[in-house]
Amino acid sequence: MPGMVLFGRRWAIASDDLVFPGFFELSLRVVWWIGILTLYLMHRGKLDCAGGVLLSSYLIVLIVLLAVIICTVSAIVCVSMKGTICNPGPRKSMSKLLYIRLALFLPEMVWASLGAAWIADDVQCDKTVVNGIIATVVISWIIIISTVVTIIIVFDPLGGKMAPYPSAGPNHLDSHESSQLFSGLKTAATSVWETRIKFLCCCVGNDDHTRVAFSSTAELFSTYFSDTDLVPSDIAAGLTLLHQQQDNIRNSQEPDEVISHSPGPPQEADLDAELANCHHYMQFAAAAYGWPLYIYRNPFTGLCKIGGDCCRNRTTEYDLVGGDQLHCHFGSILHTTGLQYRDFIHISFHDKVYELPFLVALDHRKESVVVAVRGTMSLQDILTDLSAESETLSLECGVQDCSAHKGISQAARYVYQRLVNDGILSQAFSIAPEYQLVVVGHSLGAGAAAVLAIMLRNSYPQVRCYAFSPPRGLLSKSLYEYSKNFIVSLVLGKDVIPRLSVTNLEDLKKRILRVIAHCNKPKYKILLHGCWYELFGGSPDNSPTELDGGTQGDLTQPLLGEQSLLTHGSPTYSFSSDSPLESPTKYPPLYPPGRIIHLEEEGTSGRFCRAAAQYCARWSHESQFSKILIGPKMLTDHMPDVLMKALDSVVADRAAFLLCPAGGSLNVDVV
């Protein structure tokens, strides 16, 4: 950081990113140079043939050219290893070295072309020499093509917008110029991100909802990234340092104080009852994913169990499947829930932006009508997730600030209209009028289920919702408090989604900027140590994150350009109403739904093994999920199959404790 400026534009690669690719190329070039030199020295006597002079000239020039390239790449690697992420001063010569390296591609391409032409002339020389030269020509073109692909990858479409300002310090830009800079960057970034998203999601469609989602997602990304000068490797290094910093802080903390009194029997019973309900209804949330999750959980037997249902034709009387007529989904749902075919009222696999698949079933065991909403499984769902601005809900619940995540609330409104307007719930309660309504879901489905439960509460006052791994950025503060009466959320370990919101992402960005700016190690050492730490563990104390004499307030603002306009007090960045991420109208702080049960891992189960993990369950406050935790399990803890295994373990352990209470006291904290 910052990105290198070459040919008058900024690139999405920093001057300290060339250690690993440079070392790889250097190793390849050295081996190649030794091989060609050996070939020439051992077989130069066999070049006394038709066309042999050309081949001999080709090898000699190639040996010299490779030697020059090796020296240049060695210099690039050595320079790239100097300095730190935010101290590119020792790497000032990098641009000149890269110009030299790129210039050497021209004679290399010319010589590779000549070598290919000479070999094609049917040279009558020793076969070993000819094959060796063919190999060198092929390797030359592979390296050239790989370099071109790399240049395309690191090309930054916004680089031309930033190039005029790299050397402009804060004294050279007044408030008006700075404002114009950021306005231009954000407009250009929005356009670039929208083009990227449309390209990646070209198969999604082009209806009104999709266009709105494209625009919303592009604005979110441009808002988040346009005020920083981070390259991807900076983010990787920052996340590595944050993980070690968090582990270091946790290791240095005193053990949690024992609560002054044991939880009362009603509170313990409430936790046990809700855990049992979560354990039961998680089956429905998993079933809503259909056959992909079922096959993933049962890789050896799943396909055999549902294969017959994939080809079976249902009669019109029992045609419950809406959207895609895929009976594989229905077969997996029957096996996951253990229900009978007649217990299902409606199953929909219709999937579009803001429109999620869902199922409605009669659960006779719990005497409930269950509505299960599917989580993220498609590009359409991802666009729904990323429509993260806030919108106001029209609710009759007596709450003043009724705002929620736009994409999720739109998806909940779609399911609500299907349930109510199509008479699906009326049909269910006409069959079982005494049953209770329960809404469940996982991930995106959990967020939609929570908002759906709030929408249905006026018509169904006894509605209950179980949200598994819901997103944090979902409800306004007042709706969050209101939802505690009928919504229970379940979170596993370091799961990133229940900690994910625009506000938390902004906090994560500031923490990344602070930790990499205060680190006194070069980036390649950070990444090497981070890989070792993630794979094999070790001490997190080996990566200093504070410079001598540095203050914590030095980097509370993002960086832009080689000399940070913002760090040195640019007036355009402040946590005021002008800051897009702090805007009270677009991205206000949002909270997870309902009361939260947190399943925390006790001790450690190692880096690669989760089978031996033990969990404890406790009620937690939403403030415990106000920061994103970095670690290898931040993603795996979100997987529905991992959550189901953890639930099985917790429920089994608590049941064993109830049967054998002499085993010890229950580890439950009531917050």
Side-chain angles (χ1 to χ4, degrees):
M1 188 176 74
M4 286 190 300
V5 176
L6 295 172
F7 303 107
R9 67 176 298 116
R10 177 190 179 277
W11 296 77
I13 187 172
S15 56
D16 56 354
D17 285 340
L18 302 176
V19 176
F20 299 118
F23 184 78
F24 176 77
E25 182 183 0
L26 183 62
S27 302
L28 181 63
R29 296 280 186 179
V30 169
V31 172
W32 185 14
W33 183 81
I34 293 174
I36 295 175
L37 183 62
T38 303
L39 177 68
Y40 177 75
L41 294 177
M42 293 182 62
H43 298 279
R44 59 183 174 178
K46 300 178 181 179
L47 293 175
D48 297 332
C49 56
V53 175
L54 293 177
L55 297 184
S56 178
S57 302
Y58 174 80
L59 290 176
I60 293 173
V61 173
L62 186 59
I63 290 171
V64 175
L65 183 61
L66 281 177
V68 175
I69 292 175
I70 288 171
C71 293
T72 306
V73 175
S74 300
I76 289 174
V77 172
C78 291
V79 172
S80 185
M81 296 171 70
K82 297 179 179 179
T84 61
I85 296 177
C86 290
N87 180 26
R91 302 190 296 271
K92 286 184 178 179
S93 59
M94 180 61 73
S95 58
K96 296 178 182 178
L97 290 172
L98 286 177
Y99 286 136
I100 295 173
R101 177 66 190 92
L102 291 173
L104 289 173
F105 272 110
L106 181 59
E108 188 176 12
M109 290 179 64
V110 171
W111 209 241
S113 301
L114 289 176
W118 292 339
I119 290 297
D121 284 342
D122 194 22
V123 178
Q124 301 297 322
C125 289
D126 184 77
K127 189 175 182 181
T128 303
V129 177
V130 173
N131 290 337
I133 295 177
I134 291 175
T136 63
V137 172
V138 172
I139 293 174
S140 296
W141 280 110
I142 290 175
I143 292 178
I144 292 170
I145 293 172
S146 300
T147 303
V148 173
V149 172
T150 302
I151 292 174
I152 294 174
I153 291 174
V154 300
F155 178 80
D156 184 359
L158 297 174
K161 299 288 182 181
M162 303 181 71
Y165 304 98
S167 60
N171 296 330
H172 295 83
L173 291 178
D174 58 23
S175 177
H176 177 68
E177 290 174 328
S178 298
S179 178
Q180 284 185 327
L181 168 63
F182 281 100
S183 177
L185 281 176
K186 189 171 184 305
T187 301
T190 302
S191 176
V192 168
W193 277 110
E194 188 163 357
T195 302
R196 289 171 174 170
I197 294 166
K198 287 181 178 178
F199 175 77
L200 292 174
C201 304
C202 57
C203 59
V204 170
N206 197 30
D207 55 27
D208 291 341
H209 281 172
T210 304
R211 286 191 290 270
V212 170
F214 285 158
S215 177
S216 177
T217 303
E219 187 167 357
L220 174 65
F221 284 167
S222 64
T223 298
Y224 188 73
F225 291 109
S226 63
D227 62 349
T228 62
D229 195 19
L230 293 171
V231 297
S233 61
D234 295 332
I235 298 175
L239 292 175
T240 297
L241 289 171
L242 276 181
H243 181 208
Q244 296 173 46
Q245 185 185 69
Q246 289 172 354
D247 286 354
N248 192 23
I249 293 174
R250 187 176 66 249
N251 293 342
S252 63
Q253 285 178 340
E254 295 294 331
D256 295 338
E257 294 184 3
V258 180
I259 54 178
S260 57
H261 62 278
S262 300
Q267 294 171 322
E268 287 188 21
D270 182 44
L271 180 60
D272 283 327
E274 295 297 2
L275 277 174
N277 287 334
C278 288
H279 184 251
H280 176 77
Y281 288 115
M282 182 61 200
Q283 306 298 323
F284 290 88
Y289 281 100
W291 66 264
L293 180 59
Y294 184 79
I295 296 295
Y296 177 77
R297 293 180 60 209
N298 304 275
F300 301 109
T301 61
L303 189 59
C304 296
K305 290 182 178 179
I306 67 173
D309 291 308
C310 295
C311 304
R312 187 178 304 167
N313 292 321
R314 304 290 182 182
T315 62
T316 306
E317 180 183 358
Y318 296 106
D319 188 12
L320 308 176
V321 181
D324 298 330
Q325 302 291 325
L326 299 178
H327 297 298
C328 293
H329 282 304
F330 195 82
S332 68
I333 291 172
L334 291 176
H335 285 284
T336 301
T337 60
L339 300 182
Q340 301 296 318
Y341 191 85
R342 60 179 178 272
D343 296 327
F344 289 88
I345 305 299
H346 186 81
I347 301 174
S348 171
F349 293 108
H350 172 81
D351 188 13
K352 293 180 66 176
V353 177
Y354 302 154
E355 298 176 5
L356 298 178
F358 67 97
L359 62 88
V360 181
L362 299 178
D363 179 18
H364 303 296
R365 179 180 171 187
K366 292 285 187 177
E367 295 188 345
S368 58
V369 174
V370 180
V371 178
V373 186
R374 196 190 73 180
T376 303
M377 278 282 289
S378 65
L379 288 175
Q380 294 93 324
D381 299 337
I382 294 174
L383 290 172
T384 301
D385 284 315
L386 294 175
S387 298
E389 63 264 38
S390 178
E391 76 168 9
T392 302
L393 304 179
S394 299
L395 301 173
E396 298 178 1
C397 59
V399 176
Q400 291 184 348
D401 180 18
C402 294
S403 57
H405 183 289
K406 175 185 175 180
I408 296 177
S409 61
Q410 291 276 357
R413 186 174 294 111
Y414 161 77
V415 179
Y416 175 86
Q417 292 173 349
R418 292 289 310 275
L419 293 176
V420 176
N421 297 346
D422 293 356
I424 297 175
L425 283 184
S426 299
Q427 179 184 354
F429 283 104
S430 67
I431 299 174
E434 72 283 3
Y435 280 16
Q436 181 185 20
L437 178 61
V438 177
V439 188
V440 302
H442 174 266
S443 188
L444 170 62
V451 178
L452 177 62
I454 294 173
M455 293 177 175
L456 290 169
R457 185 165 169 78
N458 191 45
S459 302
Y460 299 90
Q462 302 302 317
V463 65
R464 298 283 297 172
C465 175
Y466 292 94
F468 303 98
S469 306
R472 175 177 176 82
L474 183 63
L475 304 175
S476 62
K477 183 70 172 179
S478 54
L479 272 184
Y480 156 68
E481 295 292 344
Y482 172 74
S483 67
K484 288 182 178 180
N485 297 321
F486 56 98
I487 297 178
V488 172
S489 293
L490 185 73
V491 178
L492 175 63
K494 293 184 177 182
D495 188 350
V496 65
I497 300 302
R499 297 173 170 86
L500 195 62
S501 68
V502 176
T503 306
N504 282 9
L505 281 174
E506 176 67 8
D507 171 74
L508 177 65
K509 179 173 67 175
K510 290 188 292 183
R511 287 192 287 146
I512 288 176
L513 288 163
R514 182 180 297 113
V515 76
I516 62 178
H518 290 163
C519 184
N520 55 13
K521 285 191 175 183
K523 187 189 297 180
Y524 78 95
K525 288 187 178 180
I526 296 173
L527 295 177
L528 283 175
H529 182 266
C531 290
W532 181 270
Y533 184 77
E534 296 296 339
L535 293 174
F536 305 107
S539 173
D541 300 327
N542 296 332
S543 291
T545 56
E546 296 297 329
L547 290 175
D548 294 337
T551 61
Q552 290 291 337
D554 286 343
L555 251 189
T556 58
Q557 298 167 330
L559 306 177
L560 180 66
E562 285 191 8
Q563 298 183 29
S564 170
L565 307 177
L566 303 175
T567 302
H568 292 85
S570 170
T572 59
Y573 189 92
S574 62
F575 293 102
S576 64
S577 59
D578 295 331
S579 178
L581 285 173
E582 297 294 324
S583 170
T585 58
K586 196 137 205 166
Y587 300 111
L590 297 176
Y591 301 86
R595 296 183 297 159
I596 303 173
I597 298 176
H598 190 198
L599 303 184
E600 293 185 278
E601 186 174 346
E602 295 180 314
T604 177
S605 58
R607 298 279 170 174
F608 305 102
C609 179
R610 176 177 290 273
Q614 297 293 321
Y615 299 91
C616 63
R618 66 189 72 211
W619 290 110
S620 296
H621 191 264
E622 59 83 17
S623 60
Q624 294 183 246
F625 306 94
S626 59
K627 288 186 181 296
I628 295 175
L629 301 181
I630 309 301
K633 293 182 180 179
M634 62 187 292
L635 298 177
T636 57
D637 280 345
H638 185 69
M639 298 298 293
D641 62 309
V642 176
L643 179 58
M644 294 174 77
K645 290 178 182 177
L647 261 176
D648 291 341
S649 173
V650 170
V651 171
D653 289 345
R654 295 178 72 88
F657 171 80
L658 293 176
L659 292 175
C660 186
S665 59
L666 194 63
N667 186 13
V668 179
D669 289 347
V670 179
V671 180

